[in-house]
Amino acid sequence: DDVLDLSQIEAGRFGLSKELTDIEHVIEEARRMVEGLADAKGISMKADLAPGLPRLYIDRTRIRQVVLNLLTNATRFTDCGQIVVRAYGEGQHVRVDVEDSGCGIPDDRIARAFTEFTQLHEKREAQGSGLGLAVSKRFVELHGGEMSLVSELGKGTSVTLSIPIEGDPPRSLTERPGAAGGRGSRRVWHR
C-alpha cells in the first residue's frame, strides 16, 4: 500500500478526502489499533491532549495512517518505558508529537529518516519496507503541514507533525450541532 500511495503522490494523482475532524478522535483511533502491541511489550502509552483544539479540515484516513505509523514505530523500537502523544495548538497550526523512550536513531541515519526505502535501525532491518516515515511525511505535506524528527541514541525519538488550521471549509462540511461535546477539559489517557 505504501508503494502504491507513494507512486500516486509522485505522479501527482493522489487526492485527499478532507472533512472537518477532531484530531483527538484520530489519535484515539490510532492508539486503539496499537495498544495490543504496546501491552504485549509492557510499554506504557500516555496522551496529553490540550483542551479546545480546533477541528481540522483533513483527510481523516490519511492523518490516522500517519499517527498509526508513528505509534507503531515507537512501539516497535521501544523495549521498555513509555510512549507519549501530545496534541496542542501553536500559532495557526495543531502539532502532534509522538515521543518514545526507545533505542533512538544513530546520528548518521537521522538525516535520511524521511527518505524512501531507508531503514533506520541496523539490528531490525527486516521489520519494515522503509517507506512508513517517507509516506507519512508526504501525507502531512499534502495537507500543507510539516513533519520533523529528533532522536538521541539510547534515549528515544520524538516525531512531530504540524497541520495548519485552515479557514472555513466548504459549507457542506461545517460543524454539526453538538459535535464539540466535552472539549473544554484536558484529556489524558494512560495504558
Side-chain angles (χ1 to χ4, degrees):
D1 288 342
D2 286 340
V3 172
L4 181 59
D5 289 343
L6 187 61
S7 65
Q8 287 180 338
I9 291 168
E10 289 181 350
R13 293 183 304 199
F14 194 89
L16 298 175
S17 297
K18 291 184 173 184
E19 60 183 314
L20 273 175
T21 305
D22 290 313
I23 193 68
E24 301 98 318
H25 295 160
V26 172
I27 291 169
E28 177 60 15
E29 289 169 1
R31 183 201 63 81
R32 280 195 314 259
M33 296 170 86
V34 177
E35 72 181 337
L37 179 60
D39 287 347
K41 292 182 77 175
I43 299 168
S44 166
M45 293 184 81
K46 300 178 182 178
D48 185 2
L49 309 178
L53 288 173
R55 299 183 86 207
L56 299 176
Y57 187 51
I58 58 175
D59 185 322
R60 175 189 197 104
T61 301
R62 297 309 175 189
I63 296 301
R64 182 181 60 221
Q65 186 175 341
V66 170
V67 176
L68 177 61
N69 179 60
L70 299 182
L71 289 173
T72 301
N73 282 350
T75 304
R76 184 181 294 160
F77 297 109
T78 301
D79 292 324
C80 63
Q82 69 177 4
I83 297 166
V84 179
V85 182
R86 291 180 184 86
Y88 54 96
E90 185 175 270
Q92 291 301 307
H93 291 78
V94 168
R95 292 174 57 106
V96 177
D97 301 332
V98 176
E99 182 179 308
D100 66 59
S101 60
C103 59
I105 300 168
D107 288 341
D108 63 327
R109 293 184 179 217
I110 290 176
R112 298 179 294 156
F114 298 109
T115 304
E116 296 87 358
F117 303 107
T118 298
Q119 296 287 338
L120 299 177
H121 299 88
E122 294 174 5
K123 296 177 183 174
R124 304 179 191 221
E125 299 286 356
Q127 289 196 359
S129 64
L131 284 175
L133 284 176
V135 171
S136 293
K137 186 172 194 278
R138 298 287 183 90
F139 284 155
V140 171
E141 290 171 344
L142 285 173
H143 284 83
E146 298 177 350
M147 200 165 176
S148 60
L149 177 148
V150 293
S151 186
E152 187 173 347
L153 196 60
K155 296 195 175 179
T157 301
S158 179
V159 183
T160 299
L161 61 107
S162 177
I163 301 172
I165 302 166
E166 296 185 17
D168 293 332
R171 200 64 158 151
S172 62
L173 297 174
T174 56
E175 187 170 344
R176 42 185 210 285
R183 295 182 345 142
S185 62
R186 182 173 290 266
R187 291 190 224 177
V188 178
W189 46 257
H190 303 275
R191 294 270 328 142

